[in-house]
Amino acid sequence: MRACVLFAFVLAMSACAQQGESVSRSGGVFDPYEQSNRKTHEFNKGLDRAIVRPASTGYTTIVPDEIEQSIGNFAENLSMPSVTVNALLQGDLRTAGVATSRFLINSVLGIGGLFDVSSDFGIEEADTDFGETLHVWGASEGAYIELPVLGPSTARDTVGTVVDIFTNPLTYVLPSPEEYYGTAASVASRLGDRGRFTDTVDAILYESADSYAQLRLIYLQSRRFELSGDDSDAFVDPYEDEIFPDPYEDPYAE
């Protein structure tokens, strides 16, 4: 029953994602929910200011770098089965094989994934999600959406975020409370990322004239570039002169 409901949800949201297809393909922004998105953005900023930013600062200050890295490795390793499933759904057997190899090697030789032994063996990293699976299947990104807590997304990636909860086989085999270890490690890893890149994140959220518009632009362009592979034409530098003019440029120069 749950699978049927989930499948219906995916079809419905994927159909909605077709709206604004020409806009996204041309590199523009399709944001029909901007008013509500901005309210969510302000909520997320308040949450970051009150909880996430202080927690990330404390986390990176107290926890040694080696332990931070091990927690990140553990979270990444537990995500590999989901990467394998999505790669198979995309028909990408190579990525599926790499993800499976990384999971097996790091789980056995890396003490449950605490150490990234696979990289030492020269096995490249693998990463994909159901949002990319929908992209491969031909679904357009649809409207831009800022989700509470989770932040920037699109209609397509919102579906992907929900479905990815169910695509990791470990969800169905690990007993409680072990099934929540990956979630806890992922949250800790994100706190570590927030702490390490605090200057960059602060500049976007608290120092830009319109943090919502800047975050939206950076997210959409980086996500499109990620999904386009080696197609450099899909990436637009958010700091191009046409978008953010040089403040030191002489306005009277010919």
Side-chain angles (χ1 to χ4, degrees), residues 58-124:
Y59 178 79
T60 54
T61 301
I62 296 173
V63 179
D65 292 342
E66 295 79 5
I67 297 180
E68 274 193 58
Q69 184 63 52
S70 292
I71 292 175
N73 292 339
F74 181 72
E76 180 187 10
N77 190 56
L78 290 183
S79 72
M80 286 299 101
S82 179
V83 172
T84 299
V85 171
N86 277 298
L88 290 174
L89 291 174
Q90 296 167 24
D92 187 353
L93 299 181
R94 181 178 182 278
T95 298
V98 170
T100 302
S101 298
R102 288 186 64 85
F103 177 72
L104 294 176
I105 293 174
N106 286 341
S107 295
V108 176
L109 302 180
I111 314 178
L114 293 176
F115 301 97
D116 186 8
V117 181
S118 294
S119 294
D120 296 335
F121 289 163
I123 300 177
E124 64 193 61

Side-chain angles (χ1 to χ4, degrees), residues 120-220:
D120 296 335
F121 289 163
I123 300 177
E124 64 193 61
E125 295 184 358
D127 186 28
T128 189
D129 51 49
F130 196 76
E132 184 169 1
T133 298
L134 290 175
H135 167 73
V136 172
W137 289 353
S140 63
E141 69 182 21
Y144 175 78
I145 300 173
E146 179 149 352
L147 300 172
V149 183
L150 299 179
S153 185
T154 61
R156 180 178 62 203
D157 285 339
T158 298
V159 174
T161 299
V162 174
V163 175
D164 275 331
I165 298 174
F166 304 97
T167 56
N168 194 327
L170 295 180
T171 304
Y172 306 98
V173 298
L174 289 178
S176 181
E178 286 81 357
E179 61 179 312
Y180 302 112
Y181 288 174
T183 302
S186 180
V187 170
S189 179
R190 288 179 178 271
L191 281 178
D193 291 340
R194 176 64 176 91
R196 282 191 297 276
F197 301 107
T198 186
D199 291 339
T200 302
V201 176
D202 286 352
I204 296 172
L205 292 182
Y206 306 117
E207 299 173 17
S208 58
D210 188 346
S211 60
Y212 171 78
Q214 186 169 2
L215 186 64
R216 177 183 62 189
L217 179 63
I218 292 173
Y219 171 78
L220 288 176

